[in-house]
């Protein structure tokens, strides 16, 4: 019965130890109603994505197949910037073949015109001119069709597997020219990290000097969130880049932008947007502004911890007083970027870095991490440190060292070696004794 009692006691001790090791402290930081993103129903599909914290805030119909509209120009512009970044000041000659198929919005490029690649990029990306986009496509791919193949490869490489392009400008082509908001987000995230693309797509205007076929031109940004030249109704100072435009009734309006607020970045995408009957109100821009303004007004940095803020007490063993409870505190100030009304589940937990905290421990030594959660998602972390020295008990230190050694691999290896070698040594000794006793002296 005793061995069974010992086994049960050992199991209970193990369970209690595991509970102690995995336990943590949770305390509410504040309590309020969680903010609800606006729901917009007069736009085909949209999403608002927190790039800084890698989080989708809200979306609608994000996986619905829609015509690419001018969102295709984000892929076109990104690919062109990657391929031509070291050729910006190179002058090229426009040909009629390059301009073939480039209908619609035009900057007036002519056959035989000599123009810098940089100016063409501003025309295609900032001004969203179709003729500039077709010339860029020919420079990069040899012709527009080959460049479109590269666009599809780029999109699919980025995970936009539901996207298909048949031309570099997003002109509607039935079911052959489609994308989704989710796919467009993957492409926009990549483009937002390309400095050249963001510089060009964020410019309010770009001046192009006179060429052999044209006088000086000024390219103005067609994204009304960025430039207020055509209308001030949609301008938003928080927005930078990326693309906006319309591709007729089939494609509708697409608006893609990067918004910045207090160091945080958001990507807002609207596809399949429409306008009212007389064209005086563009619902895609209204949707983009509603989402961007809401997130900028709702999310802010909130101070959670001050530096040196005491969060609790830890049990330190092996001290001069045996087991001692000692305060621990934050190693630095911590602010987290969360909604102003963060809901009842903004909490933090403290987890120790070791199963057992033992002396000696010096003031300022890290003993754990405080993790802050908002609605169950990790939003920040802060080291916690001990606030006073804990000297080790000399006798207990020796005993502990012996105990640690008996649990070490070296000690176990020694036991294994002895377990193997001792029987062998005994056998050898017995054989040696037998040989000695059986030996007869001869004279």
């Amino acid at each position: 019965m005793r061995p069974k009692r010992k086994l049960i006691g050992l199991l209970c001790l193990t369970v209690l130890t595991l509970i102690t090791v995995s336990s943590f402290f949770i305390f509410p930081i504040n309590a309020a109603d969680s903010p609800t993103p606006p729901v917009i129903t007069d736009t085909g599909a949209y999403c608002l994505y927190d790039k800084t914290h890698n989080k989708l805030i809200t979306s609608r119909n994000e996986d619905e197949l829609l015509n690419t509209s001018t969102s295709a120009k984000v892929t076109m512009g990104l690919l062109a910037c990657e391929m031509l970044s070291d050729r910006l000041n190179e002058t090229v000659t426009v040909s009629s073949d390059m301009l073939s198929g480039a209908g619609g919005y035009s900057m007036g490029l002519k056959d035989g015109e000599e123009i810098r690649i940089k100016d063409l990029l501003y025309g295609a990306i900032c001004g969203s001119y179709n003729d500039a986009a077709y010339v860029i496509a020919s420079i990069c791919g040899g012709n527009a069709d080959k460049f479109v193949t590269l666009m599809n490869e780029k999109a699919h490489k980025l995970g936009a597997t539901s996207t298909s392009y048949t031309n570099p400008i997003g002109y509607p082509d039935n079911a052959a020219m489609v994308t989704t908001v989710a796919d467009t987000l993957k492409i926009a995230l990549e483009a937002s990290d390309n400095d050249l693309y963001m510089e060009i797509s964020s410019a309010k205007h770009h001046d192009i000097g006179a060429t052999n076929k044209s006088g000086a031109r000024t390219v103005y940004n067609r994204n009304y969130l960025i430039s207020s030249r055509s209308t001030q109704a949609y301008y938003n100072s928080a927005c930078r880049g990326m693309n906006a435009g319309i591709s007729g009734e089939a494609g509708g309006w697409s608006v893609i932008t990067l918004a910045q607020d207090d160091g945080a970045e958001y990507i807002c995408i609207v596809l399949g947007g429409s306008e009212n009957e007389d064209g005086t109100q563009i619902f895609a821009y209204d949707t983009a502004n509603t989402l961007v303004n809401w997130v900028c007004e709702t999310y802010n940095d909130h101070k959670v911890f001050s530096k040196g803020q005491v969060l609790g007490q830890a049990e330190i063993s092996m001290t001069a007083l045996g087991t001692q409870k000692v305060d621990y505190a934050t190693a630095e100030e911590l602010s987290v970027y969360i909604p102003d009304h963060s809901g009842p589940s903004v909490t933090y937990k403290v987890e120790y870095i070791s199963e057992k905290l033992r002396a000696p421990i010096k003031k300022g030594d890290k003993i754990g991490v405080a993790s802050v959660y908002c609605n169950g998602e990790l939003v920040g972390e802060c080291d916690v440190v001990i606030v006073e020295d804990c000297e080790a008990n000399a006798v207990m230190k020796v005993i502990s060292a012996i105990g640690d050694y008996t649990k070490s691999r070296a000690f176990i290896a020694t036991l294994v070696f002895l377990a193997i070698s001792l029987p062998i040594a005994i056998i050898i000794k017995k054989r040696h004794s037998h040989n000695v006793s059986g030996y007869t002296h001869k004279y």
Side-chain angles (χ1 to χ4, degrees), residues 246-257:
I246 185 172
S247 297
E249 292 185 5
W253 282 90
S254 67
V255 177
I256 305 165
T257 192

Side-chain angles (χ1 to χ4, degrees), residues 95-172:
S95 69
S96 57
D97 288 341
M98 292 178 174
L99 296 171
S100 178
Y105 198 61
S106 169
M107 67 181 287
L109 294 171
K110 299 178 178 63
D111 181 21
E113 184 168 359
E114 298 173 357
I115 187 170
R116 290 189 311 167
I117 287 177
K118 179 178 181 179
D119 296 328
L120 288 169
L121 286 173
Y122 271 91
I125 299 171
C126 174
S128 201
Y129 291 114
N130 294 338
D131 55 350
Y134 266 86
V135 173
I136 285 294
S138 293
I139 295 171
C140 292
N143 60 52
D145 289 339
K146 291 180 180 178
F147 184 71
V148 169
T149 298
L150 296 178
M151 287 175 60
N152 284 313
E153 290 176 354
K154 181 67 175 180
H156 296 166
K157 183 179 179 181
L158 295 174
T161 54
S162 296
T163 295
S164 175
Y165 302 119
T166 60
N167 60 72
I169 60 174
Y171 189 79

Side-chain angles (χ1 to χ4, degrees), residues 380-422:
E381 291 183 324
C382 178
D383 289 345
V384 294
V385 298
I386 211 71
V387 300
E388 60 181 273
D389 293 339
C390 294
E391 299 296 336
N393 183 305
V395 175
M396 293 297 294
K397 186 176 180 180
V398 173
I399 295 174
S400 177
I402 294 172
D404 288 344
Y405 177 71
T406 60
K407 298 175 185 177
S408 67
R409 291 184 178 180
F411 180 74
I412 294 172
T414 301
L415 289 179
V416 172
F417 174 76
L418 290 175
I420 295 172
S421 60
L422 279 176

